[in-house]
Every structure is written in structure tokens, then in C-alpha cells.
Amino acid sequence: MQLTLWTYEGPPHVGAMRIATAMQDVHYVLHAPQGDTYADLLFTMIERLPRRPPVTYTTFQARDLGGDTAELFKTAAREACERFAPKAMMVGASCTAELIQDDPGGLCRALDLPIPVVALELPSYQRKENWGASETLYQLVRTLAGPAAAAAASRTRPERAPQQRPRCNILGPAALGFRHRDDLQEIRGLIAALGIDVNVVAPLGATPADLARLGEADFNVVLYPEIAALTAQWLTRNFGQPSTRTIPIGAAATRDFIAEVAQLAGLDPEQALTEAVSRSTWYARSVDSTYLTGKRVFVFGDATHAVAAARVATQEFGFAVVGLGTYSREFAREVREAAKLYGVEPLITDDYLEVEAKVAELQPELVLGTQMERHIAKRLGLPCAVISAPVHVQDFPARHSPQMGFEGANVLFDTWVHPLMMGLEEHLIGMFRGDFEFHENAAPSHLGGSHAGAASVAVEPPAGSTIDAAAEVGTPIVVAAWAAEAEQELRKIPFFVRGKARRNTERYALDRGMPLITLETLYDAKAHFSR
Amino acid sequence: MSPVIPIRASSDGCTDTPVLRERGQREVFCGLTGIIWLHRKMQDAFFLVVGSRTCAHLIQSAAGVMIFAEPRFATAIIDERDLAGLADANEELDRVVTQLLARRPEIRLLFLVGSCPSEVIKLDLSRAASRLSKIFSPSVRVLNYSGSGIETTFTQGEDACLAALVPRLPSPAADAPASLLVVGALADVVEDQFTRLFADMGLGPVRFLPPRRATELPAVGPQTRYLLAQPFLADTARALEARGAARLEAPFPLGVEGTTQWLQAAASAFGVDAAAFERATASARARAAGALARHRVQLAGKRIFFFPDSQLEVPIARFLARELGMTLVEVGSPYLHRQHLAQELALLPSGTVLSEGQHVERQLDRCRTARPDLVVCGLGLANPLEAEGLTTKWSIELVFTPIQGYDQAADLAELFTRPLLRRLKLVA
């Protein structure tokens, strides 16, 4: 059993719903207890879709458990097929139905429906949402593109005629994806500018017939490996289609992406690259951004967004990454490799409490994370911006706000810098303390009054939580005492770096076996670590 | 002006109306959702769901838009190792609870909340609760109830929670005077209004269940008369009766009429004379009636359709039909508790179509055919129906908003006028 305050991912059947809802003409019959229809709200409320997700639930109750739940499932499947007349159907079980073992796949074979039925095996007690989405897309593609696959694999695709434009598939955008809608628009634009046609976008907007045409493209653009990497590998094996590896988040990565796509399409990227200008590059270079240099950021999210954010943070905005982690265990390797680049310990966990402990320990000046890190940042009084799912309704905005491409880089600049205190205010607070309005514990004034309460509650983590955190990793708690004078001096350090200063000084004292931290120790430590 | 609006003897309303009972897909929440408001009502209580990732996902999808420094609910997620053997699961649970209580030392009451997976694998949470209670007493009391979807629908989670609390309520002294207990989570402001109204009648003492703090549990015994403030408290009522308490029959305190009859039931039981009742309630009643008149203009004659959700449907439909002149197309409810709703059903316009349970697709067909002016439904259906051109009122808000009592009667009406007004306001 795992104590979970917040979970980064839903159960795998929610991943399957994300694929079904993204597509057209497919229906998902889910064996699930009454109440699991809450998942519809993710799509109708959080993503604000104007239609019901194409999902039929059996919604069995306690009284059904004594009877024939299998019959209940068969009725639901038959009725769904008649009512919605889909071109393909997916069937599966949620976590509770998995326990009662009715075998939806087998039951559907017995029904002998007139359409392809994909039986999904999604182990709810081992796997999670992204795995569910990835597996579902893979199984759908295998089933629907499968018959053509054997033929395609046996021969090489004919050379493209010289007048014919190269074609690619775009794989990954799904329902309930963090900014998938706008990322897709950006990437379509980039690809069109290169003179490449888009064959199929999947799963977003694709029909079963579209999936059957996947093999006709020259290569695949994989935007979200968490969802589409498995499918892309299968397409490589069966159709010989190469796929992109670069994730076009950030201006530099977007340029790399353009070069990679052009190379796969056999085109010259020069013109596209010369024309490509990102505003964020100039904004980050302008003197107003100098104070961003070396700001200590903690990055957490799905592997794709976390790795991309760390690169943008360091190379494009000049921050220092002090922590990097992901909840996507399937992509832990990528994150470990990236962590090496920044000399930080990778944090691979889906345990919210572990992430919280790490943030409390590192005391970053900015947290780039998910909706869950916003809870952590609120508790610790740290600025925070969202870079990855899970997200809530405010991160499905009406305005165009991609993360990918050059416009995406502009969005990232605005979003990440916004929660930080602006330069002038930061300077003045460093110089004059005790102002009744602009005091060092107050939230940045450009964020208005509403945030002041949050930031002033807990500048340093409550003693309890640090001790918990330390106790969990098993380190003995030995902290030198603070002389009153030194403690007072510590309070003069602006709040966003104070936690770090306290930690450094304590470590310095501890390393030297000093029982008491004096004013001298504080400044010795400052000189020692001089940031 | 008579203190009570008389029920016309000529009509029995819907007392004998046949109810359309349907089975099929039910588009409703499970009882775990009750945690969302219960954790705010009882501030020193913590709700630990023992369930799957789906359960954790449900609660955070519902509550996670609020940013919590310290949430007062969590999930102990069952994994494969727990499924392998039950003894192990109990040890695991003890470990998780110990970890949780170390993090939150200020918690006084911990609810272990059962879910579908924990019910299906028959994990005995009541034994776990008594075991953990022994370990952590006296600082923390551990109780359990089921909020599983297979057993509870939405607001029934509150019922199960309060029913678990009832056996733990203290007993009053044998010579204690008769006391009034108001049962069902109410907004603090509503609770305060009722307290004042009862005090003005000279009626007391009055206590509320659930209390605001888990350390202030009301006493219950044979002297206790209780009033249900919510229609979904079947098990709680049974548990209270097992302790000797007696229910005061009344419609629910929604609208002027409902509130008056609800208060009157208490007043009669405690021998409050008509003059005192009139003095205490007259001004609030007149104020509420005046405020309702404005909404009546908007709502009279409009046709309304209720999808099942919270069991509040029947009392609210009664209020909308009788006090605001709306026409009831269909009133769906997840459960119809005949006894608790007897007075409500008698007040409903005769011939109202009542349905219990759900086959959501067929109900949607009926709704589309009827094309009502306003549809009361859950959030899974609201936006899709709006996109089809129907005007909706999402039903969960009725549980999250102060709607009971005189001074909320117009607020309750406004919840229904607002979507209609909005539709008129938004150009194209």
C-alpha cells in the first residue's frame, strides 16, 4: 500500500479513454463499477469538450456482484454497438472489474460484433495512465493497420516521385494532453513550411480508417513519446518508417527538430532555419533578464517535458537546474541521462511525498512542475510554473498557448518568469527591509494581493516536514545551533534564497564540527559557497 | 397569516404515483465524493480512502483545482502485493496510518473510507479501525465507512460517514431534557441561522450532526428528537433510532414552505406555541417570499428535467413547482426513500413523472424528445447537452451551496434562473 496525497497519473483505463476520446468513430466499453463515470468530467469539464466521451460503462453495483456481471457487460457492449455504430470498438476493465475477472475480450468474441474489437489488457494495480494510453494506441494500430503491415514489411516502399512532396504522420497528440491542441498547430505549421505533407495525425482526430493508412507516410513525427513511442517503434519495424527523436520544446530544440525532420524528408532546412526567429531568445538576452542568471530551479513532470524544460531553463534562460525528476518510470533512462548533464541526482518517483521532501531539501527559487508541485510550492512558499500534466482546468486555456515550436518558446518565457519577483523589487528588498508593504516575506507585488498570504505563511518548511524528510532517507539529524545574532542576520537575506543560505551555513558548520553558528560562520559559509 | 401553508387534503400529490425504475449505465458519482465537503465541515478530521489509483484520481480531479498546503484527505493505494494476501494488507494499512498521523499530529478523527476494490477483496476496515483506534487512542479516534460506488451514490457517502459516527456519540444524562438534533452537513451560515431561529422560539438545546469539530460530538439518546436537514440520510436515521432517538417528520428545509414546515415540526414536538413560532419566523418568511417573487417571473411556466444525482431532486422539484411555478417534466433520483420523502411526495404536483435509478442513454433520449427549458444534470452531461442547445444547471452545485432555510430560498431559486438568464445575455 502506498500513502498517496496526490497521484501524478490516473489508472490505465483513463489512458485508454484519452485515446478513445481523441479519435473519431471508435467506442470504448468499460467494465466498471458505478461512480467510475467521474472520468467523463475530465473531458467535459477540464478539457471542456462539448460532447460526451465515446465511453459506455457497465456501472455495476453491489447487488450485481451476486448475479451475472458478465451478462451486464455483454448487454452494454451490444447496446453501445447498436446505438453508436462505431467503426471499431475497444473493450476493457477498470481496477474493480479487473478483480472480478469477467474477461471483456472473450465475452466480445462471443458476441461476434460486425466491427473490429480491440480487447485491452491494462493491469490497474501495476500500470498507470500514460502506459494505458500508449498500450491502447499500440493495440489499435496493430489491429487496424496490421493486415496491411505484413505486405508492407515484405517490400520496400517505392521511391517517392520527384514531384511528390514527402509525407509524415504526427503521433502522440491525445485528449487531455497538456497543450496538445496548440502544440499540434505549431508543429503542423513548421512541417508545412518545410514543404512536407501530413499523412495522418493520431490519435487526435483520427478514425480507424486513418490508422489503416499510417503505413503510407515516409516517416513519423513523435511529439509525445509517453503516448506514441511504442507505436512508432512498431511502425518502424513493420513499415520501415524512421521517426523523430527531438522534442521541439524551446527555441534551440525546435531548430534541432527542424533539422531532423528535414533530414528524414531529404530536404534542406536552411531556409526554414534562417526564417525562424524566436522572440524568447532576444527576451532572454535583453538586460532585463540578467537577474535570471543562476536562479535555482527544480524541474519535475513527465519525462518529455521535464528533460525539455531543464534544457530550456539552463541553455536558453540561464537558470541553474538543482533538481530534475519524473514520474514516468518508463522513461527513467532519458531523465537519468539528462540529470548527468546538470550534475544533479535524478529523482524517479511517483510518490508525491518524496518529491515534496526533495523540494524542501533543495530550497529552489523556482519550481517547474505539475499541478501537484503547485501544492508543494504553496506549502513551501516558492514560486511555481506548470510545465507538464497532470494539470487542471486553468491549463487548458482558450488562448493559443503551445509549449512546442517558436511560439511555444515565447509562452515558456512569459510563463516561467512571471512567478519570479521582478528585478527592481528584488534589488530594493535586498537593500531595505521592514517596509510595511514591500517586506521580504511578501509575495512579488506584480502578483497582486491574493498571493501574499500564501507566500508569507511558510518561507521555510515547517520544522516537522524537514525532520520527516530527513527521517525517511535515514540521515541523522544533527544541526548546529544558531546564535541569536546570526539568526537575525539570516533574516536579512531575501526570502527566496534564505532557505538555501540556512542550509549551506548549517552544512558548513556541520562539516567543520562547529556547535554554534555565529555571524562569522554565516559569512564564512557565504564566502565558501559564494554563489 | 397562518404559520403553515396547509397541504390541500383534496390532493395526495405523488404519494401513489408509480415510479419509473430503470437499470443501465448510471452517470453518477460514488460516495467517496462526499469527502470533498465533509473534510471542510469537520476541520480536525482526516479521510483516508483505502482503494485504487482510480479512487485517488477521482478525489483529486474533483478537489485538486484548489491548491492545498495540507490536504485533509488521501488514498492508501492498494497494489499487487496487497492483492496477494490479506494479512499483509492489514500490516500495510497500519504502516500507512502511522506515517500519516506522524505527518499530521493535529488530526483527531480519522476515517478509513472503503472503496470498490477494498469491498471486493473484502478487506475488513472495521476491524482495522478498531485496532488502530486502540493504538492511537486517546489522541486519535479511527472510524470506517464505505464510500464505494458499488454500495453508495454520491451523497450517500455522507450518510455512511455520519452513520459510522452515530455509535460513537456520547449518551446524555438520564435526566437530561429533550433535545433537538439537526442531521446532515449544512453550510456554517445556514447552521447559524437555524440556531438563531430555534433560539427565538425558545426551543433548545439544538445540536448539529456533523459537528464542526470532531471533538464536539453531540449527545444522542431516547430524549433526542432529530430533524433531517438532508434527504439522503437513511442509514444515519436508522442508526440514530437504534440509539433511541425519534425522527420528526417534515419536508426538507428548502424554500419558504419547506423551511416553515420543517421548523414547525420541531416547534410542535417541543411545544412551542403558535404565537412564539410566528414571532420567530414571520420576518424571515416575508423577506424570503419577497425575494422569491423576482425569480418567479423568470421561472414560472418553464419546464425542468432532473437527472438523478444527489436525492435532493424531489425536494427541490417540489420547491420549484410550488413556489416558483415551474413545470416538472421528469424528476429522476438515484434512490427514493419513501418514508423520508413521504411529505415531499404529497406536496409534489400530482402526475409528475418520477424515475428511480438510471439508464442514461434512454433518459437522454427522453430528455431530448421533451426539450425542457432547463435540465438539471451532472457535469459529465452538462456541457454536451449545452452544445446540443439545451440549457443546463449542473447538479453538484446544489450540494456545495448554502440552499437551506429562508434566507437561502432566493439563492436556491437563483441557481436555476442564472443559466436561463445567461443564455439570454450571451449574444449568439
Side-chain angles (χ1 to χ4, degrees), chain B residues 218-417:
Chain B
V220 65
Q223 305 94 319
T224 308
R225 303 285 168 276
Y226 72 93
L227 263 181
L228 292 181
Q230 303 279 14
F232 43 73
L233 298 171
D235 289 348
T236 309
R238 237 191 331 269
L240 285 168
E241 269 153 36
R243 299 275 314 256
R247 183 170 72 93
L248 301 177
E249 283 188 32
F252 293 92
L254 298 169
V256 179
E257 185 185 29
T259 305
T260 304
Q261 293 196 31
W262 187 78
L263 291 170
Q264 181 67 58
S268 307
F270 284 80
V272 175
D273 66 56
F277 184 84
E278 180 65 21
R279 256 197 321 278
T281 57
S283 68
R285 217 165 58 223
R287 193 166 57 218
L292 277 184
R294 285 196 302 278
H295 293 286
R296 196 179 167 96
V297 180
Q298 315 273 352
L299 294 175
K302 293 278 194 304
R303 298 163 65 248
I304 190 165
F305 190 109
F306 285 85
F307 278 80
D309 190 52
S310 62
Q311 301 186 51
L312 279 163
E313 295 83 4
V314 168
I316 289 177
R318 177 263 302 159
F319 162 68
L320 292 174
R322 291 173 64 93
E323 299 185 39
L324 295 158
M326 293 189 86
T327 306
L328 307 176
V329 178
E330 177 174 333
V331 181
S333 179
Y335 291 101
L336 277 176
H337 194 294
R338 284 269 170 199
Q339 209 185 344
H340 289 179
L341 286 177
Q343 306 223 350
E344 291 286 351
L345 290 173
L347 291 172
L348 272 188
S350 29
T352 302
V353 175
L354 296 172
S355 65
E356 181 180 11
Q358 190 175 32
H359 185 298
V360 72
E361 304 296 348
R362 280 189 220 135
Q363 197 166 26
L364 279 168
D365 289 345
R366 292 200 296 277
C367 181
R368 289 178 182 126
T369 311
R371 291 213 65 88
D373 298 302
L374 193 58
V375 184
V376 183
C377 62
L379 290 171
L381 300 176
N383 274 335
L385 286 176
E386 288 280 350
E388 289 180 28
L390 288 160
T391 307
T392 61
K393 163 77 218 105
W394 52 283
S395 50
I396 301 133
E397 197 176 13
L398 302 167
V399 179
F400 291 155
T401 315
I403 56 169
Q404 291 84 1
Y406 290 123
D407 289 309
Q408 282 67 241
D411 298 347
L412 176 55
E414 208 220 334
L415 290 178
F416 295 90
T417 41

Side-chain angles (χ1 to χ4, degrees), chain A residues 177-184 224 394-395 397 401-403 411:
Chain A
F178 177 61
R179 310 293 167 86
H180 286 194
R181 175 196 71 192
D182 300 337
D183 283 350
L184 177 60
Y224 309 102
Q394 65 273 44
D395 278 300
S401 38
Q403 304 283 292
V411 170

Side-chain angles (χ1 to χ4, degrees), chain A residues 70-383:
Chain A
E71 195 52 46
L72 204 64
F73 177 84
K74 278 159 72 175
T75 311
R78 200 167 35 230
E79 285 186 8
C81 191
E82 281 163 15
R83 180 175 283 266
F84 299 103
K87 300 282 191 326
M89 204 151 90
M90 298 151 46
V91 296
S94 80
C95 52
T96 306
E98 191 183 326
L99 295 172
I100 59 177
Q101 302 184 327
D102 273 334
D103 184 22
L107 292 171
C108 260
R109 273 194 298 281
L111 281 178
D112 196 23
L113 298 172
I115 47 169
V117 175
V118 180
L120 298 172
E121 295 287 342
L122 307 174
S124 309
Y125 297 89
Q126 300 166 24
R127 305 294 190 161
K128 298 194 287 287
E129 179 179 330
N130 281 335
W131 186 88
S134 169
E135 174 70 11
T136 302
L137 181 61
Y138 169 65
Q139 294 295 351
L140 275 173
V141 169
R142 265 187 68 137
T143 308
L144 298 167
S154 61
R155 61 186 161 84
T156 43
R157 215 184 1 267
E159 276 298 303
R160 184 155 37 84
Q163 74 279 10
Q164 199 185 353
R165 283 156 62 104
R167 276 191 301 180
C168 69
N169 300 314
I170 299 181
L171 302 178
L176 217 62
F178 177 61
R179 310 293 167 86
H180 286 194
R181 175 196 71 192
D182 300 337
D183 283 350
L184 177 60
Q185 190 184 325
E186 279 302 304
I187 298 308
R188 269 181 181 281
L190 289 179
I191 286 173
L194 282 167
I196 301 169
D197 289 334
V198 174
N199 179 46
V200 171
V201 176
L204 194 61
T207 62
D210 289 334
L211 294 192
R213 294 194 295 114
L214 280 171
E216 294 168 14
D218 299 305
F219 64 99
N220 291 313
V221 170
V222 177
L223 293 188
Y224 309 102
E226 275 86 351
I227 293 174
L230 186 65
T231 303
Q233 283 162 20
W234 185 86
L235 290 169
T236 306
R237 280 198 305 278
N238 288 278
F239 297 98
Q241 295 166 332
S243 53
T244 58
R245 313 264 314 156
T246 316
I247 305 299
I249 296 179
T254 301
R255 298 176 73 86
D256 294 351
F257 174 81
I258 291 173
E260 186 184 20
V261 168
Q263 186 251 323
L264 287 181
L267 299 168
D268 180 11
E270 258 335 294
Q271 200 194 342
L273 285 174
T274 343
E275 285 170 6
V277 195
S278 165
R279 221 173 284 127
S280 74
T281 315
W282 163 241
Y283 269 48
R285 185 163 297 159
S286 72
V287 293
D288 199 42
S289 302
T290 313
Y291 84 110
L292 300 176
T293 315
K295 283 259 184 223
R296 307 170 62 257
V297 296
F298 177 85
V299 183
F300 196 85
D302 67 25
T304 301
H305 286 91
V307 170
R311 176 175 174 186
V312 175
T314 49
Q315 296 180 9
E316 297 186 30
F317 298 167
F319 295 143
V321 168
V322 294
L324 175 63
T326 184
Y327 57 80
S328 320
R329 287 189 186 279
E330 293 86 355
F331 292 84
R333 200 161 50 101
E334 283 79 349
V335 175
R336 288 209 179 88
E337 274 164 23
K340 269 187 219 148
L341 294 177
Y342 311 109
V344 296
E345 196 64 28
L347 179 66
I348 314 294
T349 183
D350 58 356
D351 186 347
Y352 168 82
L353 296 172
E354 223 177 295
V355 179
E356 186 188 68
K358 194 71 179 172
V359 178
E361 181 201 326
L362 292 171
Q363 288 289 322
E365 290 162 82
L366 175 66
V367 177
L368 298 177
T370 71
Q371 174 78 5
M372 305 308 138
E373 276 63 53
R374 294 172 68 170
H375 299 290
I376 294 173
K378 178 178 179 185
R379 182 168 187 221
L380 303 180
L382 300 170

